[in-house]
Amino acid sequence: MRVNVLLAGLLALAAGLGAYRATTGPSERLLVIDDADLVRTTASGMRTVEALTLPPNAGGPAGVSASLPIAGAAQLNGLIGRGVAHGFDGFVYENRDRDHSTLQSSQFPALTFLRYGPKLVQRHRDYGLAQDIALPVPLIGNSSTALTGRPQWRSQTRAAMTSHRGTMAAASHYQANAIYFYPEHQDHDAVDMFPANWPYVVTSQGSSGSDQPFLMSAAMTLAAFRPDTWAALERGGLVAPTLQMILRRNLLGVNGRADYLSNVAHPVVFHGKRLRPERMIAQAAAMLPDTIPPMVRLTVEEEDFGDRAGLAGLSERLFSTPSAIARLWRGPQYERSLTVSAGDTVDPNGRELTFHWFVVTGDASIEPIGDKGDTARLTLQWQDAVDIPSFPPDELAQRRVSRVDIAVVADNGANLSAPAMISVAFPTHQQRSYTPDAQGKMHLSSIDYNAVARSAPFDPVLFWSAPWVDHLEYDAAGQAVAIRRQEGQKSLRISPDGAVAGGRVRHMLPRQISTEMELTYEIVPQD
């Protein structure tokens, strides 16, 4: 195991990394790791550094610069000066955009900055979305970047949500005391493009640099904890969840428990002007070890979302992780349900827990099950995209959303937890019509799949378009008997099992993701 712990006097090695812009200062704290320092953990597949020792502060300031362009510097410096805050010892900052949008060591002289060695830089492991490298110390990081090439353009947050590897890494970091900050960059403008809401990262409204006030607020908040509280947070893997709770609890417009237990505190993207860092610092400084809230852990006990649904036969289960569950509504049903339990949630101090379930976005019915309130049956009906108001000071009055988000918050009597989230995304780029039968049950009557012709936005990683409209026919008992497909002037009658005159319909997606992601079909002869 080789870990290089460097102070400012050893900047020659850092300068030799090439991709980095080395900064100097009398007390700069650098931690440099390279590929040979990393070992793979058996539990999660993450790579880590064993027995990591952070560099000491070489006699420089213990607090932050008074020139910080954000409130809270004097407040934090006073706490550190009186010895009631643990300060910047014990956690690390990682920049993943090669200093494009980075904290400055001159403003945070006591903070340890993580750098990657030449081999990791050569493989671009220092850039973009944080994935399978996790340190055994608390960490905050950022990458003020996005994937801008078509057709898979997306923010780093959406990139993580739409790949198994990215989702698993985000969940693993969250449980390992690490949290990253990314801009939404065109994913949350007139249309909300996110398929889910989760607490694993913080996504800022805007593009490059919009993450800066969040980074500064987060760094100062972590430094404000009492030494004993900080030790308990680190030991319990609760640094990231507690930071998420404090950020949300102190947003502009969140002034009490009722506000926190509502959509006001839990948007999928956060506007920097809603931050109130002085309140965040104060809440962190006041938290005692025996009042630390837990991390909510969810499990799906029952659901009717499946592994194969819709014409393309794709999974509806986007991800199932401890604090976030996401589903995609692909099937023809008008109503769906999940039964979700938070019963695996454990308070770090053994306090008795109660749970709050509430809708953040969209519409859903929540039916608590049992006496403890840790389990609920969630029922949703098909929902077209809607325009929802934005929270001030967001300049955009409203944005279009095609998703339901349900939050679960644990209450230990002293503090409310960060939320866990259950999300269901709807393919509203399809135009669906549902009509009631004689018994009043809603049936899918038609789907216009031609999103490309209508210029309807959709994520080609998750969804697709097709140049036809399907009309469904039912018998008197409400059973589907045929699909009548209209494609231009061509009409085709298909049985529910895919049979047509002379063969069977086989639907196919292209092997490579394209902007259109157009579904096609062919008629194959019957055996």
Side-chain angles (χ1 to χ4, degrees):
M1 191 276 292
R2 295 185 297 105
V3 178
N4 296 308
V5 176
L6 305 182
L7 299 179
L10 298 179
L11 283 171
L13 176 59
L17 299 184
Y20 299 115
R21 184 178 71 243
T23 56
T24 60
S27 59
E28 186 176 14
R29 304 170 77 174
L30 293 178
L31 170 68
V32 179
I33 64 171
D34 212 338
D35 191 64
D37 303 320
L38 298 171
V39 296
R40 189 169 298 278
T41 63
T42 56
S44 62
M46 303 290 283
R47 302 176 72 202
T48 190
V49 178
E50 295 179 324
L52 182 65
T53 301
L54 296 183
N57 187 346
V64 296
S65 169
S67 67
L68 273 184
I70 193 169
Q75 177 187 9
L76 176 63
N77 289 339
L79 292 169
I80 294 174
R82 297 197 303 274
V84 296
H86 83 99
F88 291 93
D89 292 330
F91 69 97
V92 170
Y93 165 62
E94 176 186 5
N95 174 263
R96 297 190 58 83
D97 56 33
R98 297 178 183 170
D99 292 346
H100 171 61
S101 172
T102 184
L103 292 179
Q104 299 295 323
S105 59
S106 59
Q107 295 179 328
F108 290 86
L111 179 62
T112 297
F113 285 65
L114 174 67
R115 301 294 194 191
Y116 288 113
K119 291 185 178 178
L120 291 175
V121 171
Q122 186 178 23
R123 291 158 49 198
H124 304 287
R125 304 304 298 279
D126 65 317
Y127 193 80
L129 181 66
Q131 297 199 44
D132 64 347
I133 297 176
L135 298 188
V137 294
L139 178 149
I140 59 171
N142 76 302
S143 184
S144 205
T145 61
L147 284 69
T148 58
R150 302 285 173 173
Q152 298 186 53
W153 66 272
R154 62 201 56 236
S155 66
Q156 297 292 1
T157 299
R158 183 155 63 110
M161 288 178 173
T162 52
S163 75
H164 177 75
R165 183 180 178 186
T167 296
M168 294 301 104
S172 294
H173 288 138
Y174 188 69
Q175 297 172 86
N177 295 323
I179 192 164
Y180 289 87
F181 300 77
Y182 305 108
E184 53 83 22
H185 186 65
Q186 299 181 4
D187 268 351
H188 195 251
D189 295 335
V191 178
D192 181 341
M193 294 297 296
F194 293 97
N197 191 342
W198 64 8
Y200 297 146
V201 307
V202 173
T203 309
S204 57
Q205 184 68 43
S207 297
S208 294
S210 62
D211 46 5
Q212 279 296 302
F214 293 90
L215 283 170
M216 294 179 187
S217 298
M220 291 194 293
T221 299
L222 294 186
F225 285 107
R226 294 161 40 121
D228 53 351
T229 303
W230 176 256
L233 288 169
E234 183 177 3
R235 185 170 58 251
L238 294 169
V239 171
T242 303
L243 178 61
Q244 273 280 22
M245 179 275 288
I246 290 175
L247 185 155
R248 295 159 186 261
R249 183 63 180 82
N250 295 286
L251 289 171
L252 181 67
V254 180
N255 299 312
R257 284 172 58 92
D259 293 326
Y260 187 81
L261 298 173
S262 76
N263 63 340
V264 179
H266 309 291
V268 68
V269 170
F270 295 88
H271 199 293
K273 291 182 180 179
R274 294 189 69 197
L275 285 170
R276 294 193 283 189
E278 291 172 305
R279 291 171 59 115
M280 294 171 65
I281 291 167
Q283 184 173 9
M287 186 175 290
L288 301 175
D290 66 351
T291 65
I292 294 171
M295 185 190 90
V296 177
R297 294 180 177 273
L298 302 177
T299 55
V300 177
E301 295 192 340
E302 187 177 13
E303 64 176 315
D304 58 14
F305 291 90
D307 291 327
R308 292 180 61 85
L311 297 184
L314 300 175
S315 177
E316 295 183 296
R317 296 167 179 160
L318 182 58
F319 56 76
S320 297
T321 58
S323 291
I325 294 164
R327 297 293 184 259
L328 306 172
W329 192 302
R330 300 190 187 278
Q333 298 91 330
Y334 179 73
E335 186 170 279
R336 314 294 295 272
S337 67
L338 305 90
T339 300
V340 180
S341 172
D344 290 339
T345 307
V346 177
D347 186 75
N349 293 288
R351 288 173 175 262
E352 186 174 350
L353 297 173
T354 56
F355 294 88
H356 305 273
W357 302 71
F358 54 96
V359 176
V360 172
T361 305
D363 185 37
S365 170
I366 302 173
E367 178 188 355
I369 299 174
D371 298 331
K372 295 183 178 180
D374 59 2
T375 302
R377 180 179 176 84
L378 313 175
T379 304
L380 303 86
Q381 296 177 339
W382 171 265
Q383 297 168 40
D384 292 322
V386 295
D387 291 321
I388 62 172
S390 298
F391 295 109
D394 194 335
E395 293 83 2
L396 193 66
Q398 59 186 19
R399 57 178 45 86
R400 202 150 186 81
V401 180
S402 302
R403 191 183 64 248
V404 169
D405 298 323
I406 298 167
V408 188
V409 169
D411 185 348
N412 67 6
N415 274 306
L416 298 168
S417 74
M421 288 283 184
I422 303 105
S423 298
V424 178
F426 294 79
T428 58
H429 62 289
Q430 303 170 354
Q431 288 188 338
R432 295 192 178 197
S433 295
Y434 289 86
T435 54
D437 62 14
Q439 291 74 41
K441 183 178 180 180
M442 299 294 287
H443 285 298
L444 179 63
S445 55
S446 69
I447 306 183
D448 179 349
Y449 291 110
N450 205 346
V452 171
R454 288 182 273 103
S455 299
F458 67 95
D459 187 341
V461 174
L462 301 178
F463 298 115
W464 45 267
S465 178
W468 63 74
V469 179
D470 280 349
H471 300 272
L472 286 77
E473 300 175 0
Y474 299 86
D475 62 19
Q479 298 298 311
V481 295
I483 298 170
R484 181 168 47 84
R485 176 162 297 173
Q486 193 69 40
E487 184 177 359
Q489 299 300 313
K490 185 173 70 173
S491 182
L492 182 68
R493 188 177 176 85
I494 309 170
S495 71
D497 63 357
V500 296
R504 183 176 300 276
V505 169
R506 182 174 69 180
H507 294 97
M508 300 166 292
L509 280 170
R511 292 184 179 180
Q512 299 293 327
I513 294 173
S514 66
T515 302
E516 292 80 14
M517 263 308 269
E518 187 169 276
L519 189 72
T520 59
Y521 69 92
E522 63 180 4
I523 299 175
V524 296
Q526 292 277 26
D527 295 334

